[in-house]
Amino acid sequence: MILINQLSKKYKDADTYALQNLDLAIEQQEIFGLLGPNGAGKTTLISMLSSLVKPTSGSFSINGLTYKENKNKLKQIIGIVPQEYALYPTLTAYENLSYLGSMYGINGKTLKTRIHQHLETLGLDNFASKKVGFFSGGMKRRVNLIASILHEPKVLFLDEPTVGVDVQSKNVIIEHLKGLNANGTTIIYTSHHLNEAEHLCTRVGIIDHGKLICKGKPAELISKQEDANNLEDVFITITGKALRDYA
Amino acid sequence: MHKLWASTYKEFLLLRRDVGGLAILFVMPLILLITITLIQNSTFKTLKETKIPILLVDNDLGTVSKSINKGLSRANTFEIIKKSSSEEAKNLVFKGEYQLAIVIPSNLSKDLNIKVNENVDGILAKFGLEEENVVSPKTKIQKKEVVLYFDPATQQSFKNAIKNGIDKIISGIEIQSIYKAFESQLSDTPNSEPIFETESFISFKEITPDGNEDYIPNASQHNVPAWALFAIFFIILPLSINIVKEKSQGTFVRLRTNPVSYATVLGGKTLVYLAVCLTQFVLMLLIGLYVFPLISLPEIDISGKLLMLLTVALFSGLAAIGLGLLLGTIFKTHEQSAPFGATLVVILAAIGGVWVPVFVMPKFMQALSNISPMNWGLNAFYDVFLRNVSFKEIVPEITLLLIFFIVTTIISILYNEKKNAA
């Protein structure tokens, strides 16, 4: 379970808060979608939960653990799929996964078996010995995902895991995530694909201007909003049509 | 331990796949070593084999000018080209076609003889040895100047060496003239035995630390340690770029979320790049041993010194790696780390005494040199290569290099923790 209490982040030299007084509880085995326009604070929240960014104030715990007290234990039970590919282009898919899996303390036969299992499930078993630098965007996304789940995390954070991939790759990734969730993994993911979130997530939260505006099951949010047929209608109604360009 | 091994193996793979990087790491230092040694060796050989063409304008045509000519020829350094006009010689030198022109003034021999004879007569008269015991009045003779024209591009050290050499020849001629004048005044019979021995009484003998009177370190002995160290420190560049690259391609962000310490990540890099440093050094030794003789360069002598040389290379490598880790940790972009790293190595080499010996530097630079890791490494290499010391005597220098590595690595880890604390 993830418990977030009054979590805020204000970046150095920034005029406004990237995230302000966010309270949220995510239950075990949920697939929670963090939705919001560009610059809303989604990545900031994921970065704080995965120890990449230090909160300005507030606190959170994941399965009862905090970074302050149980840093390595906590890192061992979470997995992070970053927005960037975060892979070594001159190493093969297998070498990348072998190294990144080793960093979680997995080795030997266990590591080898897990790598091959995931590569096979995600349709990459024929490319294990090929350099990642030559992979398509969709293939890289899938290797990126495998690198974050080799240690079988209890909680998985995904920052736009299907951005820039073809429909086939997206489908394989979503199916794999559903499989992981079925096996007990809690999933928190950010996306701009509202249709995808609507079908995948058990609950979603819409963030705008650093604040959590609403949260709930997709169907409930749609039914609450007048004239809304899908999550995209809800999103536009709540966040408005104004462009969110920022630099 | 498994994580360290995995990190080391990953670094090894990354390096192995970067063929261009490997070529730069291993081939460029070897090219540098051969090039510099060839150039330096020609400087060493200059005094023996290579002759510098110089112009000589002899307006004297007497015994003194003949002696100067003979003295210059005996030095075996110059190829003397005679010119009749000092103006022509001056123009040729100032255009840069020749390094030097020597213009001997007219009547130098005649006037020197008169001057010496008058001085000798005066002295003998004072001792009451002059037959008439009357000193004839002194002739008014203008002081003579041997004029030297140097190419403005000529370095001051070369000018000084030439000036000293010519001064020595002229002094010798003056002394010889004085001896001859005394001899002719004191000797009754013209063909009698010489009274004065004009050969030099005092001579030099150089004794090296190993007691071998005939062994003088050659250009290779000087260059291999200096440029090997330079190459070792160049590891700063690829290493810092490697770390910055990890940041830019996002893999470092992933590692920060993994349960692995930054020390382990740096440990993997340290082991691989240390192996690179040692391989580089061994290759340089092999070049000095087997390739130098093939290209007419003197072979290096490492007999009985190999273990100590590898020890110095190991600790120098650690110091260089520590600095590379620090730069890579601090810098964010390739554009920051590459030019800074390259310039820093050149500055460290200059301060460390790779190009100019530390003892000729200004006091402030000498003090700065004492805190330069390249100076510690160079001194340790010279201790082993040229000063023939025991292991005990290189301990202070390698300890400093080790401390430098520890301090820079700790700063890197602390800086990273401070920057990325969550």
Side-chain angles (χ1 to χ4, degrees), chain B residues 10 31 43 45 109 112 177 207 226 284 309 338 368 394 417:
Chain B
K10 181 258 297 181
I31 294 173
T43 313
K45 280 161 97 180
S109 303
L112 181 68
S177 303
I207 309 291
M284 286 193 165
L309 288 174
L368 207 62
I394 59 165
E417 265 182 28

Side-chain angles (χ1 to χ4, degrees), chain A residues 5 33 62 66 106 109 121 127 177 193 197 199 202 216 243:
Chain A
N5 181 30
I62 300 170
T66 62
I106 324 159
K109 210 176 167 186
T121 316
F127 301 94
L177 291 178
H193 300 298
H199 292 99
T202 47
L243 292 172

Side-chain angles (χ1 to χ4, degrees), chain A residues 50-52 54 75-76 80 86-91 95 99-100 102-104 107 144 147-148, chain B residues 2-3 6-7 10 13-14 17 246 249-251 253-260 420-422:
Chain A
S50 51
S51 83
L52 291 171
K54 196 178 179 178
K75 282 183 173 183
Q76 195 69 46
I80 295 106
L87 298 165
Y88 298 96
T90 55
L91 300 190
E95 286 163 350
Y99 169 62
L100 295 167
S102 298
M103 293 302 103
Y104 284 100
N107 52 51
N144 210 25
S148 311
Chain B
H2 175 71
K3 288 178 186 177
S7 294
K10 181 258 297 181
L13 288 175
L14 288 176
R17 301 273 158 82
E246 285 227 36
Q249 68 193 12
T251 44
V253 169
R254 188 188 280 283
L255 288 176
R256 279 174 54 203
T257 65
N258 289 2
V260 60
N420 300 312

Side-chain angles (χ1 to χ4, degrees), chain A residues 195-242:
Chain A
N195 187 40
E196 179 186 293
E198 188 180 326
H199 292 99
L200 176 68
C201 300
T202 47
R203 277 199 308 154
V204 295
I206 297 175
I207 303 178
D208 199 12
H209 300 298
K211 287 179 180 169
L212 184 66
I213 301 169
C214 69
K215 60 176 187 279
K217 288 180 182 167
E220 284 174 6
L221 293 177
I222 294 164
S223 63
K224 272 184 198 169
Q225 207 70 45
E226 265 182 54
D227 302 329
N229 296 316
N230 52 37
L231 205 52
E232 194 165 324
D233 291 338
V234 177
F235 187 85
I236 287 287
T237 310
I238 291 175
T239 60
K241 285 184 180 173

Side-chain angles (χ1 to χ4, degrees), chain B residues 21-41:
Chain B
L22 274 180
I24 291 167
L25 273 175
F26 291 114
V27 180
M28 290 311 286
L30 299 182
I31 294 173
L32 179 78
L33 177 70
I34 294 169
T35 311
I36 299 284
T37 313
L38 276 169
I39 294 166
Q40 294 267 31
N41 192 54

Side-chain angles (χ1 to χ4, degrees), chain B residues 94-278:
Chain B
F94 284 173
K95 272 186 205 166
E97 289 181 28
Y98 293 90
Q99 296 278 297
L100 167 69
I102 303 169
V103 180
I104 302 170
S106 55
N107 297 324
L108 179 63
S109 303
K110 198 179 119 199
D111 289 355
L112 181 68
N113 271 333
I114 295 167
K115 190 80 191 164
V116 168
N117 281 331
E118 279 181 2
N119 286 344
V120 169
D121 285 349
I123 292 166
L124 293 176
K126 282 202 173 173
F127 283 103
L129 296 169
E130 196 65 5
E131 282 161 9
E132 295 88 13
N133 223 354
V134 178
V135 182
S136 50
K138 285 193 174 180
T139 323
K140 275 211 163 180
I141 301 168
Q142 262 200 326
K143 282 195 171 183
K144 296 288 177 188
E145 270 179 348
V146 173
V147 178
L148 303 176
Y149 295 111
F150 283 103
D151 172 11
T154 304
Q155 290 200 347
Q156 194 58 42
S157 56
F158 176 75
K159 281 186 185 177
N160 290 340
I162 297 289
K163 281 179 193 168
N164 289 338
I166 291 172
D167 194 37
K168 198 182 160 196
I169 292 171
I170 290 173
S171 298
I173 292 166
E174 281 187 0
I175 291 164
Q176 295 271 358
S177 303
I178 293 165
Y179 277 141
K180 275 181 188 161
F182 269 111
E183 245 176 27
S184 66
Q185 293 283 349
L186 296 171
S187 174
D188 298 332
T189 49
N191 293 322
S192 61
E193 285 284 303
I195 300 167
F196 300 108
E197 277 184 30
T198 53
E199 289 295 312
S200 290
F201 177 67
I202 302 167
S203 62
F204 298 103
K205 183 190 272 184
E206 187 177 342
I207 309 291
T208 57
D210 57 3
N212 186 350
E213 292 171 14
D214 301 322
Y215 174 75
I216 304 296
N218 54 47
S220 305
Q221 298 288 93
H222 275 276
N223 281 316
V224 171
W227 296 101
L229 189 73
F230 188 68
I232 286 173
F233 267 79
F234 242 97
I235 208 84
I236 290 172
L237 211 59
L239 178 55
S240 60
I241 290 171
N242 167 295
I243 298 172
V244 169
K245 211 172 175 183
E246 285 227 36
K247 291 181 201 171
S248 62
Q249 68 193 12
T251 44
F252 183 64
V253 169
R254 188 188 280 283
L255 288 176
R256 279 174 54 203
T257 65
N258 289 2
V260 60
S261 67
Y262 191 55
T264 307
V265 176
L266 296 187
K269 293 180 194 297
T270 302
L271 290 175
V272 169
Y273 282 85
L274 194 57
V276 169
C277 284
L278 290 175

